[in-house]
Amino acid sequence: MPYTYNTPDDERSMLQSIGVDSVAELFQFVPEEFRLQRPLDIPSALGELELTQHLSALANRNASAQQKACFLGGGSYDHFVPAVVDALASRGEFYTSYTPYQPEVSQGNLQVMFEYQTLICQLTGMDVSNASLYDGGSAVAEAVLLAMSVTGRNRVVVPASMHPEYRQILETYFACLGAELVTVAAPSGSVSLADIAAAVNAETACVVVQHPNFFGCLEDVQGIAKIAHAAGALLIQSFDPLSLGLLKRPADMDADVAVAEGQCLGTPMLFGGPYLGIMACKEQFVRRMPGRIAGQTVDRRGRRCWVLTMQTREQHIRREKATSNICTNQGLFALRAAIYLSEMGPQGLREVADLCVRKTAYAKQQLTSQPRFVSAFDRPTFKEFVVRDTQGRVAEMLEQAADAGYLAGVPLARWYPEMADCFLVAVTEKRTRQEIDGLVSALSAASKSSAPRPHTSLAQAAWA
Amino acid sequence: MRNLKSTTLIFELSKKGRRGAHLPACDVGGPSAAELLPAEALAAEPPPLPEVAEPEVVRHFTNLSTLNMSVDTHFYPLGSCTMKYNSKRNERIAGLPGLADLHPYQPESTLQGILQLFHELQQYFGEISGLPAVSLQPAAGAHGELTALMVAAAHFRKLGQKRTKILAPDSAHGTNPASAKMAGFEFVTVKSLPTGNVDMDDLRSKLDDTVAVFMITNPNTLGMFDKTVGEIANLVHSFGGLIYLDGANMNAILGIARPGDFGADMMHYNPHKTFSGPHGGGGPGAGPICVTETLRPYLPCPVVEKTDGQYRLVYDKPDSIGRVRSFFGNVGVLIRAYCYIRTHGPDGLKRVSETAVLNANYLLSKVKHFLPVPQGARCMHEFVASGLTLKKSKGISAMDVAKRLLDYGFHAPTVYFPLTVPEAMMIEPTETESKETLDSFAEVLFRITEESGELLHEAPHTTPISRPDEVRAARQPVIKWTPAAT
């Protein structure tokens, strides 16, 4: 029996100590009518070798980013993870420990939380950070709940250029809360200030903006912040942590709450999770912030140390009046981000961002110099961009590119029916010139339609 | 051997001009990023992160790790949290490139292995719970609760019923009321009896046709199987309400009893408890939910379906509540759960629960002689001892005992939960501990009850720090490093 120690002799002696004749007797509280009278209908046990072979076979039925050059983005990216991140985060003392409820034997995790919070504040310029949330999408939802609680309002304005799945999460949360989600179209790839101004009113709790946005384009965050603040609403910015190697920080643009998907900070793509939800905010909202927070204090001998703090916001104390139901967070991935940011430092972060921007620009130029492809938006982009296939055969073309060795792009049809002829291409620091050139060839070579499908004019498309 | 300087902060190690990672030169030429992006968007400087060399990074975080207790290093009898051994094979498997280096938006044709794993895992979770419809999306147990309550809300909306209340016993985890509130419901507490069972009279008095869901943890937070659960389910169902089972304690009943068979309509698993995903110092977990066929249409999308031998992600479900998390959930945790289930098989999973319950009862049989266990001589996978007499006779609190255990190299049990037991110590050994470990833990616990109050009030004595000032941390919060604050 894997992972258990009891020998038949142990078991006999333990039963004797308890005062029963059999293990079955220990289940006396489970009424007979509720007992499962048959074995579970699941496959029989596998030893380590067989399990490894079985899972390796499953893994080999997938095509990984190590086999095919990955140009996929949209919230998950094939960034470089330095070896130190894996080596340190795979120490058992980190990954097999629990939430630090006993600070005396958890100073390692608590100090990491404190350092993570500080690193996130340094990264964003915000006053305070929590110790992580589930992922970038649920962090947006938690930020919006915070804004609704601060303002006592329940209208939320988001541009269509924010990640469609983040907007779907908001819709799901709002269905039960009687809150109103107002989506503002972004036909040029970014949202216009006039459209935001028209959507914001005295009922608006917050405006949420993603910058760089889902299409890779930059937004006028400062302009949007002014509009939101003039109406008494908060400005929530969803940011890309690596973009801050180059771009102004959320605090510099007057964001009240900054949230992010932290996967790019040292976490592999993992088919979408687990990831890292980042949240930082202005000091005045700290007691409304969800999630765990580590705080510095001293012990009984005056030694500097760390504990979980401000727990009166949390569900195990406050119950239905808590700021959130968050309990388990993403401690191990906050650790990975802390190691990553320490290893990169300011220069490393700037270099990653610089490589992303330049390689993306090169890829965009090379692709759109092909007669088949045009750039969907005339905007500066950070590490991804939208391409329109004038042949209108996106799905088929991307499948063929995958066969040729390229995970070439994310089709946008699922979320933006008007952009059925468009796909999103991401270029990280890992992609080489050779891979980019290969991508361009593979896409150009993909089968072409004899009768191009007409596409909707982007200027007329209503994406909301 | 512990490095005594290990608590220096990474920021205090920083020196201008030092660095860890070096990135390659740009191989595409062209203009610089500053020329490609508008000036008004650019920061003058990169963020003021610490500047440290790679060996310092390695030494710093390695030394920090040694300040933690963990399952790999210590016995961790933390009740309700189920800190069982985390299998190394699962870590290696979850890191296979064909699982770790997958992008969530790859073409389905390149994902048949992982989708097959999802599809099978959905079936295993459904079979083990007796609730066949499964969503793998929620990111943690509390997130699963919230998702399931949203499913219930969608169900009642579809029926045209206005149900506004969620009920749960006073012994429930704090996540239950918090999730109820986030799903837009009013929360009502139901009393529990000293046995930990639900007070049926109180439940009956609070039931009407505005109650959407009764949330119950079974086995409950006292480590007892609530025999009346069938009766409770019938009662709640007779008012048209649903039963939600908090699956935190599934470790006790794998292959023995299924929530779907004893009346639950919905439940979540904590795979990091029941199926041995590592806890990661506070996450990640996952919170997959299982529901009845009736509730299936409301589950979040996408779900994995198999048609014509191909696995597909299905998004088009008109009654679905939508999405509660980006992409597909905490896949890495789910892969480990899959490995755990396949490692044990049907007999092994049942054996897991039998061993967990045997170990807990064995420890109980030893502990009850010196620390009262108000709920009696038997338990499921965990039990709650009370330090009340110790407190009254010697002034020793449950916290004192917990802190002193750390000196002896054992993690503390969960203390002061459930709230219904005074000076509660909730002990859960799990199935992966030996008789010898349990014997020595019981012996140490007994020795502590014989020690002087003076010694215990100041415990622990051997840990890197002792009894931090939590009041100061909360009243004068220092939650980030600044040069002035240190």
Side-chain angles (χ1 to χ4, degrees), chain A residues 11 38 41 61 63 66 76 91 104-105 117 135 165 172 246 270-271 296-297 300 304 329 343, chain B residues 12 43 54 65 69 100-103 106 116 127 282 323 326-327 351 403 458 467 469 478-479:
Chain A
E11 189 171 310
R38 57 169 178 84
D41 183 16
R61 295 191 64 201
Q66 291 195 10
S76 171
R91 287 187 63 89
E104 287 91 344
V105 290
Q117 289 163 198
D135 73 331
E165 292 191 355
T172 306
L246 282 168
L270 301 170
F271 197 49
Q296 182 176 308
T297 185
R300 67 186 170 88
R304 179 174 68 171
N329 60 350
E343 170 77 1
Chain B
E12 295 161 347
E54 179 164 319
S65 77
M69 272 191 177
D101 293 324
L102 297 181
H103 190 283
Q106 286 182 212
Q116 180 182 337
E127 165 67 5
R323 181 177 267 294
S326 32
F327 312 120
R351 191 76 187 134
K403 295 297 184 195
E458 300 207 334
R467 302 269 179 152
D469 187 344
V478 178
I479 60 175

Side-chain angles (χ1 to χ4, degrees), chain A residues 118-126 211 221-222 237 239 243-255 258, chain B residues 41-49:
Chain A
T118 306
L119 288 161
I120 296 303
C121 290
Q122 292 180 337
L123 187 66
T124 58
M126 304 301 288
H211 166 79
V221 181
Q222 278 166 296
Q237 185 192 340
F239 63 98
S243 73
L244 300 181
L246 282 168
L247 299 181
K248 280 184 184 163
R249 302 185 294 174
D252 303 330
M253 296 189 283
D254 213 12
Chain B
L42 294 171
E45 296 286 332
L49 300 170

Side-chain angles (χ1 to χ4, degrees), chain A residues 285-433:
Chain A
F285 306 126
V286 64
R287 292 196 185 264
R288 303 212 190 231
M289 190 161 53
R292 298 224 159 84
I293 298 174
Q296 182 176 308
T297 185
V298 292
D299 81 344
R300 67 186 170 88
R301 294 196 205 141
R303 290 171 290 199
R304 179 174 68 171
C305 61
W306 291 274
V307 295
L308 290 178
T309 195
M310 292 195 237
Q311 296 189 61
T312 49
R313 301 164 297 114
E314 292 190 69
Q315 45 75 28
H316 61 281
I317 308 278
R318 209 73 200 288
R319 297 177 86 81
E320 72 268 28
K321 294 195 176 66
T323 49
S324 158
N325 71 339
I326 298 272
C327 179
T328 299
N329 60 350
Q330 300 292 114
L332 193 66
F333 291 83
L335 167 72
R336 293 184 75 95
I339 298 166
Y340 180 88
L341 289 170
S342 304
E343 170 77 1
M344 284 293 159
Q347 269 327 106
L349 199 73
R350 173 147 283 191
E351 286 170 14
V352 172
D354 186 72
L355 286 170
C356 289
V357 171
R358 292 171 72 182
K359 286 171 186 261
T360 299
Y362 175 74
K364 185 153 89 175
Q365 186 221 324
Q366 293 295 305
L367 254 183
T368 55
S369 69
Q370 303 291 311
R372 179 172 181 169
F373 302 112
V374 293
S375 180
F377 306 120
D378 178 26
R379 295 268 165 175
T381 54
F382 173 61
K383 70 180 176 197
E384 49 204 324
F385 57 98
V386 178
V387 181
R388 191 192 307 146
D389 173 21
T390 57
Q391 306 284 332
R393 296 167 68 97
V394 170
E396 189 182 338
M397 179 182 67
L398 294 177
E399 287 279 352
Q400 286 176 10
D403 291 342
Y406 296 90
L407 300 172
V410 178
L412 295 181
R414 185 194 300 156
W415 307 292
Y416 302 92
E418 304 82 2
M419 299 179 80
D421 54 355
C422 290
F423 59 103
L424 183 69
V425 176
V427 189
T428 69
E429 75 283 7
K430 274 176 84 173
R431 298 288 74 84
T432 61
R433 180 177 189 143

